[in-house]
Amino acid sequence: MELSLLASLIFQLRAQNQVLKKGVVDEQANSASLKEQLKMKDQSLRKLQQEMDSLTFRNQQLAKRVELLQDELALSEAKGKKNKKSAESSSQLSQEQKSVFNEDLQKKIEENERLHILFFEADEQHKRLEAELRTRLEVLETDAAQHQAVVDSLTRKYTDTVEKLQNDKAKLEIKSQTLEREAKDCRLRTEECQQQLKNLQAALGSRLEESLCIINEKVPFNDTSTYCLGLGFLFNFGYLAGQALAFVQELVTALLNFHTYTEQKVQIFPIDSATDAISPLNQKFSQYLHENASYVRPLEEGMLHLFESITEDTVTVLETAAKLKAFSEHLASYLCFLRKILPYQLKSLEEECESSLCTAALRARNMELHRDMKRFTAVFEKLHTYVSLLALPSTKPEGLLRTNYGLVFTNIAVTLHGFHDTLKDISKHYSQKATLEQDVPTATQKLITTNDCILSSVVALTNGVGKIASFFSNNLDHFTTSLSYGPKGGTEFISPLSAECMLQYKKKAVAYMKSLKKPCADSVPYEEALANRRVLLSSTESREGLAQQVQQSLEKIAKLEQEKEHWMLEAQLAKIKLEKENQKLKNSLSGHLTETIQEHSVLPNVAEQKQETTEKSPREPIKSTSLIGMLTITTDNEKAPDVESREDLIKNHYMARIAELTSHLQLADSKSVHFHAECRALAKRLSLAEKSKESLTEELKLASQNTSRLQDELMTTKRSYEDQLSMMSDHLCSMNETLTKQREEIDTLKMTSKVSLSKKIRFED
């Protein structure tokens, strides 16, 4: 993007440079033409000046001649006085001379007039030329000023563009950094999304497995050839019952809030109980509304008991749903509560309409709510009727035919949609009523808050009933087709007892199918395999590494076999030595026993004393130590040590020692293999990191080269524009110098013309 901006800027500057070059060339041509015209005018002025010089010289000659003639005339007049005669004789000659002089003077006068005309024409031409030159000078000065302004504007523009480009470059760098950070954030988000996707896939897979397991358990066989075993697939109502329970809980919460906030509203409007006593009607209405929890809570409890009665081990149909009767009874008690409070609610609205604070619009809204509350109670009456009909098959099977099940469920769906529409109207009218009550002069913040709470509870009630209506409509087919059960191709009805038998057979079939399933072998989890994929690619899981590990393990096995044979031989030798030592020990013990018997027969007192000392002092064990451990021997004079127990003790000691050494050896070998594998993996990772580092350094070099190249191009363009500006400034300076020279020449011409005019004036004078 920065390169494209630089290219467009360079293109614009080049176009402007061409325009400036063209203007400079035109100005040079104009200056050349002006120089030629100036040369022509200089030549004409020089010719005129030469003519003026020649005329002045001729005038001087004529003046001198006139003076000479005047001198001669004066001499002649003097001579005439002296000699009148000679005057008379020479009068004829003087008249001739006078006529000659008059003719000559006439010629001189005519020539002078002609010269005056020529001088006047030359002066007019000079003035005209001077005016033209002045106008041209002014035009050139204005052009120079305009060109200077253009140059200044271009320089400012170029400096502004350079600064703008630098700022754009800085902004682009900042933007690139922000984009890089955003890219990193996007990568992290994509990784998180991928992880979430994996988790969702795993969760969906587990749910699919659970559903498949449920299907396999629920439908182990589907045999319709035999009538008694031809029970079709029963719809699982556990999930639907759970949804219905959640919706009923929301409905119960909304009804509790609605009745509670209505009680608060009755206490504060149109008369506040804190400041004045309310009417007996509203007191009774408030008292009844205060008991709403005892009628609304049992609805949730009845639905909860119905949900708990639906299990996978039971057949859930209308004939077996005994808890539906209890729910119907709770709904009947709530309907009685609504019938009890309806007259008070209607009278309370009428009393509010009769209040002085009630406007016409508020009275209209109250009357609309009056009608809506009647519809509200009527809807609950319809629902109670249909629910009581659904509860009949569990108590009185003949009370409702199986053919009418679908009609009852359809009517319930229609009633729920009508209930939803009624609540929409209540919400709409109550919101209008609340806005009108805010404009009442005596409206308090408590009233506004209570109205908002009632409106929110009505909205929650509307949403809950809408959910129930859509839920019932969406699952209407399941309710109408699956709540009765029988053979898949038959039309007869199977009793609940036969259905229980079918469930027992079904459990046996599920157990049989489970016994046929074989457990799958354990494998590496998919997440662990994905996590170790990178390590597997760069660690010792290659073919060469595995081959080396196998070869090393074979060598270790061979060494262990050799050591095993060595230790077997050592054990045999130790066993032989043990037998010899046992034989020697037996011989020594037998000799010792004979000597003690003799001593007892000879010295009974000494034996008694020794016996007392042995009884007083405890038996001291004899310890024998060796390189393989420590062996403890307890001496007993009465019983000989058991040889077999000693052999077992030594054998167990050797075996434990050998097992301990082999475990230590195996642990050391496994650690060494693990460390070797880690070293190889780290070496490969280091090589990969070095390769990535080299690639990154190359990319960094390319980026630095690109930046340096762009900076060089920017500097060259800047220098070229600076050179062009300097050339233009030099050209303008030269033009200014030429203009100053022309001004000086014009000033000199003015001076010469003034001098010539002054001379002419003097000559004329």
Side-chain angles (χ1 to χ4, degrees):
M1 187 175 180
E2 187 177 358
L3 291 173
S4 62
L5 288 172
L6 286 171
S8 62
L9 182 62
I10 290 167
F11 181 74
Q12 292 176 2
L13 293 174
R14 285 179 179 174
Q16 292 176 1
N17 191 8
Q18 292 293 329
V19 174
L20 289 173
K21 282 182 178 179
K22 189 176 180 180
V24 169
V25 170
D26 294 335
E27 290 297 329
Q28 288 177 355
N30 291 327
S31 63
S33 64
L34 288 172
K35 284 180 180 179
E36 290 178 357
Q37 290 178 5
L38 189 61
K39 286 180 181 179
M40 295 291 289
K41 298 296 180 183
D42 288 337
Q43 289 177 2
S44 63
L45 284 171
R46 285 172 185 173
K47 287 180 182 179
L48 291 170
Q49 192 173 4
Q50 287 176 1
E51 290 178 357
M52 287 289 291
D53 292 336
S54 63
L55 289 170
T56 53
F57 180 72
R58 186 68 176 165
N59 286 329
Q60 287 176 1
Q61 287 180 352
L62 290 171
K64 287 179 180 180
R65 191 172 179 181
V66 168
E67 287 177 357
L68 289 171
L69 288 171
Q70 286 178 357
D71 291 337
E72 289 178 357
L73 181 62
L75 289 172
S76 66
E77 286 179 354
K79 287 178 179 181
K81 288 179 180 179
K82 290 178 180 180
N83 196 2
K84 293 180 180 178
K85 292 180 179 179
S86 59
E88 290 176 356
S89 61
S90 62
S91 61
Q92 294 178 354
L93 182 64
S94 63
Q95 288 178 356
E96 292 177 357
Q97 289 178 351
K98 283 181 182 179
S99 62
V100 171
F101 287 151
N102 288 327
E103 289 177 357
D104 195 4
L105 184 60
Q106 187 68 32
K107 289 180 181 178
K108 296 296 181 182
I109 289 167
E110 290 176 356
E111 189 176 0
N112 196 4
E113 288 178 356
R114 185 174 61 81
L115 289 173
H116 273 290
I117 291 166
L118 290 172
F119 181 75
F120 181 76
E121 289 177 354
D123 191 11
E124 290 293 330
Q125 190 176 4
H126 179 265
K127 288 180 180 179
R128 194 165 52 251
L129 180 62
E130 186 179 0
E132 289 178 357
L133 290 173
R134 283 180 183 278
T135 54
R136 293 296 299 276
L137 181 62
E138 289 176 357
V139 170
L140 289 172
E141 285 179 353
T142 54
D143 291 338
Q146 289 177 359
H147 287 300
Q148 187 65 33
V150 170
V151 170
D152 293 336
S153 64
L154 287 173
T155 52
R156 286 194 299 271
K157 188 176 180 181
Y158 294 151
T159 53
D160 292 336
T161 52
V162 170
E163 290 178 356
K164 187 177 179 181
L165 285 172
Q166 289 178 355
N167 294 328
D168 291 337
K169 184 181 178 182
K171 289 179 181 178
L172 288 170
E173 288 178 354
I174 294 168
K175 191 174 181 181
S176 64
Q177 292 176 0
T178 54
L179 288 172
E180 287 177 356
R181 286 196 293 270
E182 288 178 357
K184 289 181 180 178
D185 295 335
C186 289
R187 290 194 196 96
L188 293 174
R189 288 176 184 174
T190 51
E191 290 178 357
E192 290 177 357
C193 291
Q194 288 177 357
Q195 189 66 30
Q196 290 179 0
L197 181 62
K198 290 177 183 176
N199 294 331
L200 287 172
Q201 287 178 352
L204 290 172
S206 62
R207 290 179 66 181
L208 179 62
E209 290 177 357
E210 289 177 359
S211 60
L212 289 173
C213 183
I214 289 169
I215 289 169
N216 292 327
E217 289 179 356
K218 299 297 179 185
V219 193
F221 297 108
N222 194 10
D223 190 5
T224 58
S225 61
T226 305
Y227 175 78
C228 62
L229 297 176
L231 189 65
F233 175 73
L234 297 177
F235 184 71
N236 187 12
F237 285 96
Y239 179 69
L240 294 179
Q243 286 185 335
L245 176 62
F247 293 147
V248 170
Q249 287 175 350
E250 291 181 6
L251 181 65
V252 166
T253 304
L255 287 172
L256 287 171
N257 293 331
F258 177 67
H259 292 311
T260 304
Y261 293 132
T262 305
E263 179 189 357
Q264 293 180 6
K265 174 70 180 296
V266 170
Q267 293 287 335
I268 61 176
F269 190 81
I271 300 172
D272 194 354
S273 61
T275 58
D276 197 359
I278 61 176
S279 64
L281 177 69
N282 285 332
Q283 288 180 0
K284 198 69 174 176
F285 183 39
S286 177
Q287 182 180 357
Y288 286 152
L289 285 174
H290 191 69
E291 301 171 356
N292 67 87
S294 60
Y295 296 99
V296 179
R297 289 289 182 190
L299 293 174
E300 182 180 359
E301 294 175 358
M303 194 65 196
L304 181 62
H305 293 319
L306 179 62
F307 172 71
E308 290 175 352
S309 65
I310 298 171
T311 59
E312 295 180 357
D313 297 333
T314 59
V315 178
T316 303
V317 288
L318 293 177
E319 286 79 3
T320 59
K323 298 294 182 180
L324 190 60
K325 180 66 175 176
F327 180 74
S328 176
E329 292 174 355
H330 295 317
L331 186 60
S333 65
Y334 179 67
L335 179 60
C336 293
F337 171 73
L338 289 177
R339 288 172 179 170
K340 183 171 65 174
I341 65 171
L342 180 62
Y344 294 97
Q345 192 168 13
L346 299 179
K347 289 292 183 180
S348 177
L349 289 171
E350 292 174 0
E351 184 179 346
E352 186 177 342
C353 292
E354 293 173 358
S355 176
S356 60
L357 298 173
C358 186
T359 60
L362 187 59
R363 191 176 295 108
R365 300 290 85 77
N366 287 332
M367 295 310 295
E368 288 174 352
L369 284 173
H370 191 280
R371 291 190 294 271
D372 293 336
M373 289 303 166
K374 289 181 180 179
R375 291 167 58 195
F376 184 81
T377 308
V379 166
F380 267 100
E381 288 177 353
K382 287 183 181 179
L383 286 175
H384 171 254
T385 302
Y386 294 129
V387 172
S388 61
L389 285 174
L390 291 178
L392 283 175
S394 61
T395 56
K396 296 178 181 179
E398 67 277 2
L400 182 65
L401 298 176
R402 291 179 62 250
T403 56
N404 296 326
Y405 288 178
L407 182 61
V408 173
F409 283 116
T410 306
N411 289 330
I412 289 174
V414 173
T415 305
L416 287 172
H417 283 290
F419 189 20
H420 186 230
D421 296 335
T422 302
L423 288 173
K424 281 183 181 178
D425 294 336
I426 291 172
S427 177
K428 177 183 175 182
H429 297 153
Y430 207 93
S431 63
Q432 294 174 357
K433 175 180 167 63
T435 53
L436 291 172
E437 286 179 353
Q438 288 179 2
D439 299 332
V440 175
T442 59
T444 60
Q445 186 63 35
K446 188 176 180 181
L447 175 63
I448 296 170
T449 306
T450 306
N451 284 332
D452 293 337
C453 293
I454 293 173
L455 190 59
S456 63
S457 63
V458 171
V459 170
L461 189 61
T462 306
N463 294 330
V465 172
K467 290 178 183 178
I468 294 172
S470 59
F471 163 75
F472 212 86
S473 299
N474 294 331
N475 298 300
L476 187 61
D477 295 334
H478 297 296
F479 288 128
T480 55
T481 58
S482 300
L483 273 175
S484 59
Y485 50 90
K488 203 168 186 180
T491 58
E492 295 185 5
F493 181 74
I494 295 178
S495 63
L497 294 174
S498 60
E500 292 292 335
C501 295
M502 291 303 299
L503 287 174
Q504 293 178 2
Y505 288 125
K506 178 183 170 184
K507 291 178 183 178
K508 291 181 180 180
V510 169
Y512 177 69
M513 295 298 288
K514 284 183 178 179
S515 65
L516 293 177
K517 291 180 180 179
K518 293 181 180 179
C520 298
D522 295 333
S523 62
V524 179
Y526 182 69
E527 291 81 4
E528 186 177 354
L530 287 177
N532 295 330
R533 181 174 178 272
R534 184 184 236 171
V535 178
L536 290 171
L537 290 173
S538 61
S539 65
T540 60
E541 296 300 324
S542 61
R543 187 177 295 176
E544 295 177 358
L546 290 172
Q548 290 179 2
Q549 289 182 5
V550 170
Q551 188 175 1
Q552 290 176 1
S553 61
L554 289 172
E555 290 176 359
K556 288 178 182 178
I557 288 167
K559 288 180 181 179
L560 288 172
E561 290 290 336
Q562 292 176 2
E563 289 178 0
K564 182 180 177 182
E565 292 176 358
H566 173 70
W567 286 108
M568 288 293 288
L569 294 172
E570 290 289 334
Q572 289 178 1
L573 292 172
K575 190 175 181 181
I576 294 167
K577 289 180 180 179
L578 182 62
E579 289 176 357
K580 290 181 180 180
E581 290 293 328
N582 288 330
Q583 190 67 32
K584 289 180 181 179
L585 189 60
K586 286 179 182 179
N587 294 328
S588 63
L589 286 172
S590 61
H592 184 67
L593 286 170
T594 54
E595 289 176 358
T596 53
I597 291 167
Q598 291 175 2
E599 287 176 359
H600 276 291
S601 61
V602 176
L603 297 169
N605 294 325
V606 176
E608 288 176 0
Q609 291 178 0
K610 286 182 180 180
Q611 188 175 1
E612 289 175 359
T613 56
T614 53
E615 287 175 358
K616 289 179 182 180
S617 64
R619 294 175 182 174
E620 295 179 357
I622 299 170
K623 297 180 180 179
S624 63
T625 58
S626 64
L627 292 173
I628 61 173
M630 184 173 68
L631 183 65
T632 304
I633 302 169
T634 305
T635 59
D636 193 355
N637 294 327
E638 294 177 358
K639 295 180 181 179
D642 192 3
V643 177
E644 293 179 358
S645 64
R646 286 174 61 85
E647 289 180 356
D648 293 332
L649 182 63
I650 294 168
K651 183 178 179 182
N652 292 329
H653 180 72
Y654 273 111
M655 292 299 291
R657 188 67 175 168
I658 290 167
E660 185 180 358
L661 291 172
T662 52
S663 64
H664 283 300
L665 183 62
Q666 289 176 359
L667 181 62
D669 290 336
S670 63
K671 285 183 179 180
S672 63
V673 170
H674 178 66
F675 290 150
H676 180 66
E678 283 186 353
C679 291
R680 288 190 64 189
L682 290 172
K684 286 189 178 181
R685 287 184 183 177
L686 183 61
S687 63
L688 291 172
E690 287 177 354
K691 288 180 181 179
S692 63
K693 183 180 178 182
E694 290 176 358
S695 63
L696 290 172
T697 51
E698 288 177 358
E699 290 178 358
L700 184 62
K701 287 179 181 178
L702 290 172
S704 61
Q705 289 176 1
N706 290 326
T707 52
S708 62
R709 182 171 56 79
L710 290 172
Q711 288 177 357
D712 293 335
E713 288 179 358
L714 184 62
M715 291 299 292
T716 52
T717 53
K718 189 176 178 181
R719 288 175 183 173
S720 64
Y721 289 128
E722 287 177 354
D723 294 334
Q724 289 177 3
L725 291 172
S726 63
M727 289 173 66
M728 290 175 70
S729 62
D730 294 335
H731 181 66
L732 290 171
C733 291
S734 64
M735 289 178 69
N736 290 324
E737 289 176 358
T738 54
L739 288 171
T740 52
K741 287 180 181 179
Q742 289 177 2
R743 286 178 183 175
E744 290 174 357
E745 288 176 358
I746 290 166
D747 292 331
T748 53
L749 287 172
K750 286 180 181 179
M751 292 297 292
T752 53
S753 63
K754 285 180 181 179
V755 170
S756 63
L757 286 171
S758 63
K759 286 180 180 180
K760 285 181 182 179
I761 290 165
R762 287 176 184 175
F763 179 74
E764 288 175 358
D765 294 332

